[in-house]
């Protein structure tokens, strides 16, 4: 009880700081959950403009949107989905993924290759393979930088680019 009282008092005094740090990301997720169709339509139009064979690369909330799009509105030209730091597996487990309930499998129309990059130091990245076998494969990268910087450190990881090179 005393520890919780201390934490509550400290959080209350720092409420503005905590709120200002958390609301941009939480707001984006809530907006997507409430009005994500327009976002998915924009992604679909970009995919459709790319040609016959497409590899979709998505980061964070973009990974959630791409999973939802490819489940709800298949794009046969997408040969692979690559996600980095995605929370799609978490939302799936929570029953909060727009396109799938926790007991539903990926449809046959979903791309046959999904590479999901994660970093143990990125507290916003989740494993996909345990939930979406055999389609999803998790690849760990180790940026060596603390959170929250680790959430954007995928782009500087040679292992990620080496794995992507193999897809092309």
């Amino acid at each position: 009880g005393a520890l919780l009282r201390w934490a509550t008092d400290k959080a209350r005094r720092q409420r503005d700081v905590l709120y200002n740090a958390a609301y941009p990301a939480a707001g984006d997720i809530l907006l997507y959950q409430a009005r994500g169709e327009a976002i998915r339509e924009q992604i679909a139009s970009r995919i459709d403009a790319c040609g016959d064979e497409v590899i979709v690369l998505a980061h964070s909330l973009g990974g959630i949107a791409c999973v939802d799009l490819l489940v709800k509105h298949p794009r046969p030209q997408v040969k692979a989905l690559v996600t980095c730091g995605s929370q799609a597996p978490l939302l799936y487990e929570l029953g909060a993924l727009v396109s799938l309930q926790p007991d539903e499998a990926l449809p046959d129309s979903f791309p046959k290759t999904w590479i999901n990059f994660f970093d143990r130091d990125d507290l916003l990245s989740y494993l996909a393979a345990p939930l979406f076998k055999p389609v999803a494969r998790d690849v760990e990268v180790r940026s060596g930088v603390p959170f929250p910087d680790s959430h954007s450190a995928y782009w500087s990881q040679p292992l990620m680019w080496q794995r992507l090179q193999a897809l092309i």
Side-chain angles (χ1 to χ4, degrees):
L3 183 59
L4 289 175
R5 173 52 40 212
W6 174 84
T8 300
D9 290 344
K10 183 161 181 62
R12 190 179 62 232
R13 287 190 304 275
Q14 298 294 321
R15 185 178 190 152
D16 286 344
V17 172
L18 294 171
Y19 178 79
N20 289 334
Y23 89 85
D28 287 348
I29 293 167
L30 292 171
L31 175 65
Y32 173 75
Q33 294 293 80
R35 296 186 185 90
E37 191 59 36
I39 295 167
R40 291 187 295 277
E41 286 174 6
Q42 177 65 23
I43 295 168
S45 72
R46 301 298 293 181
I47 290 171
D48 292 345
C50 287
D52 294 338
E53 286 197 0
V54 178
I55 297 171
V56 174
L57 174 61
H59 176 254
S60 195
L61 180 56
I64 296 168
C66 288
V67 168
D68 282 335
L69 169 68
L70 296 170
V71 169
K72 292 176 69 112
H73 304 288
R75 292 292 185 274
Q77 70 269 41
V78 175
K79 75 175 203 175
L81 171 64
V82 178
T83 55
C84 306
S86 180
Q87 304 85 43
L90 173 67
L91 293 184
Y92 173 78
E93 284 190 304
L94 294 173
L97 194 62
V98 170
S99 59
L100 287 174
Q101 293 300 313
D103 58 340
E104 290 181 284
L106 291 170
D108 291 338
S109 59
F110 197 85
K112 300 304 177 225
T113 301
W114 175 4
I115 298 176
N116 179 59
F117 290 97
F118 74 99
D119 183 333
R120 291 178 196 267
D121 291 329
D122 175 6
L123 305 179
L124 296 175
S125 68
Y126 293 86
L127 298 176
L131 303 171
F132 300 109
K133 283 183 181 178
V135 173
R137 290 177 295 178
D138 295 316
V139 177
E140 182 175 7
V141 297
R142 293 183 181 209
S143 66
V145 296
F147 184 79
D149 294 338
S150 56
H151 189 57
S152 297
Y154 295 93
W155 316 118
S156 62
Q157 300 309 303
L159 175 63
M160 187 182 102
W161 297 110
Q162 291 165 4
R163 291 298 294 266
L164 291 178
Q165 181 79 29
L167 279 176
I168 300 173

